[in-house]
Amino acid sequence: MQTISRLDDLRQALALSKSGGKTVALVPTMGALHQGHLTLVRQARARADIVVVSIFVNPRQFGPNEDFGAYPRQLAADAALLEAEGVDVLWAPTPEAMYPAGFATTVSVAGLDAPLCGANRPGHFDGVATVVCKLFNQVRPDVALFGEKDWQQLAIIRAMARDLDLTAPHVDAIIGVPTVREADGLAMSSRNRYLTAQERTAALALPTGIEAAIATLREGGPAQPALDTLRAGLLAAGFSRVDYADLRDAETLEALDALGSRPARVLVAAQMGKARLIDNWPAN
């Protein structure tokens, strides 16, 4: 595995591979890798000849009171995991390489960035869209893979690719991989390490509450009573706040009053101790 931190070196390494007709898959990450990330890597390996994993803790997607400084950074340990998975290139740029002096461009996807996490994290998705657009231009992958746990992020990245006529990857080659969960159902997340043992147990109310809400929604009737029950259950379990517990159209993220014929998802974000946990499930 090559570990590369300079853009010129990355382009040179990938040009050699692409000149031989090999396909490239990109898995963007912020490091602190777990089995969810490694599942993306394995999917990438099945879809392309060359697998590139990026590790970059992106300052532009953190708000002033968020955990940018505390976000776990463990490049050596992450590199060992990736090498064991047969990754070809680890792209680990410095902040200066990603955002050189005078950098003044922002990519924004209006509308999709407003609800859900966007309402509580202003500017967050501008930072996500900007860094992912840069990663796509740097690597120019044939396919890119993202976890479905960050569903709003996935919807925004797909919209960005469509709106900007990206071809590397084309929007249809931006693949969402189902959320990887612990044995008890909690979605894997780098932020789970912030939880105490007691909080970790209480956090199970998140996936179980979503499942219960979906079961109620599938019986028919309005969505709000099921969502209110979900919210109340999370607060009773020990979550200090629930930022949202919504039924949304899977593509447009429009709020829905009930299940219909279009794909929909129940999406939740809630605070447990120091960890802001998000999760979502398909509702139909």
Side-chain angles (χ1 to χ4, degrees):
M1 184 179 74
Q2 298 182 74
T3 298
I4 301 174
S5 59
R6 295 180 67 253
L7 183 54
D8 287 346
D9 294 338
L10 176 71
R11 287 174 170 160
Q12 183 177 1
L14 293 179
L16 187 61
S17 298
K18 291 178 180 179
S19 67
K22 293 182 177 179
T23 55
V24 175
L26 171 65
V27 179
T29 83
M30 292 205 302
L33 303 181
H34 50 67
Q35 284 299 318
H37 297 107
L38 299 183
T39 297
L40 298 179
V41 170
R42 292 162 194 154
Q43 290 275 334
R45 170 58 62 208
R47 292 173 180 269
D49 302 312
I50 302 295
V51 175
V52 179
V53 176
S54 65
I55 293 180
F56 180 67
V57 183
N58 179 32
R60 289 179 172 248
Q61 68 189 70
F62 288 81
N65 298 313
E66 295 183 343
D67 60 341
F68 175 68
Y71 196 87
R73 293 161 172 84
Q74 51 185 51
L75 185 60
D78 288 342
L81 289 173
L82 296 175
E83 188 157 23
E85 292 291 334
V87 168
D88 300 284
V89 176
L90 168 55
W91 170 225
T94 63
E96 295 75 22
M98 188 63 78
Y99 299 118
F103 186 90
T105 301
T106 298
V107 178
S108 178
V109 182
L112 289 179
D113 66 342
L116 304 171
C117 284
N120 296 282
R121 305 182 71 186
H124 168 70
F125 287 115
D126 289 356
V128 170
T130 300
V131 78
V132 171
C133 188
K134 285 179 66 67
L135 288 168
F136 285 173
N137 285 331
Q138 291 164 350
V139 178
R140 297 192 60 78
D142 298 283
V143 61
L145 296 97
F146 296 84
E148 289 186 350
K149 182 174 73 70
D150 296 299
W151 185 264
Q152 184 176 15
Q153 171 181 279
L154 179 59
I156 285 171
I157 290 167
R158 284 172 167 161
M160 175 193 71
R162 182 184 63 244
D163 293 350
L164 298 182
D165 301 320
L166 298 187
T167 59
H170 184 270
V171 62
D172 294 336
I174 297 173
I175 308 299
V177 177
T179 302
V180 179
R181 300 181 179 276
E182 303 286 357
D184 56 11
L186 188 68
M188 290 188 178
S189 170
S190 299
R191 290 187 169 96
N192 287 351
R193 67 187 67 196
Y194 296 162
L195 299 170
T196 66
Q198 183 177 359
E199 290 167 347
R200 172 65 180 76
T201 300
L204 291 178
L206 183 54
T208 58
I210 293 175
E211 284 190 287
I214 289 172
T216 300
L217 289 168
R218 289 175 177 172
E219 294 173 358
Q224 202 55 53
L227 298 174
D228 288 343
T229 298
L230 170 57
R231 182 183 294 268
L234 293 174
L235 294 173
F239 283 88
S240 59
R241 73 170 194 270
V242 179
D243 290 342
Y244 58 80
D246 290 2
L247 176 67
R248 298 266 173 171
D249 183 280
E251 180 181 356
T252 68
L253 303 184
E254 177 185 359
L256 301 176
D257 296 326
L259 284 180
S261 58
R262 284 179 55 83
R265 298 183 86 91
V266 172
L267 302 101
V268 180
Q271 189 77 27
M272 173 63 77
K274 295 179 180 179
R276 183 178 184 274
L277 303 181
I278 63 172
D279 201 353
N280 72 88
W281 290 67
N284 50 8

